Amino acid sequence: MDKDINRIKVVLAEKKRTNKWLAEQLGCAPTTVSKWCTNACQPPMETYIKIAKLLNITIEELINKEYVNSIFPEIKVNYS
């Protein structure tokens, strides 16, 4: 994909956590988390919620608002 949809990789680094740690917490394969971090594919919304809780952040902090705004200009996401 040419645009970053999520910020999972960035937030993991900020929280000093690894892909392997996140995979263990979610009960999925590390390769799956790697695909999310590179935006090769996206997790289901329920998983975004779980990730946000595990990392003690809001779901909005995981989503790239510029990307969302480019896809859905009528919504104009504006996180505070």
Side-chain angles (χ1 to χ4, degrees), residues 26-67:
L26 295 172
C28 67
T31 54
T32 300
V33 174
S34 179
K35 289 177 184 178
W36 298 338
C37 289
T38 60
N39 285 293
C41 67
Q42 298 304 311
M45 188 54 64
E46 306 84 50
T47 304
Y48 273 118
I49 294 166
K50 289 177 186 176
I51 293 168
K53 286 182 181 181
L54 286 167
L55 295 173
N56 198 31
I57 59 172
T58 65
I59 195 166
E60 290 85 0
E61 292 176 85
L62 287 177
I63 308 296
N64 182 322
K65 66 182 176 184
E66 287 80 18
Y67 178 79

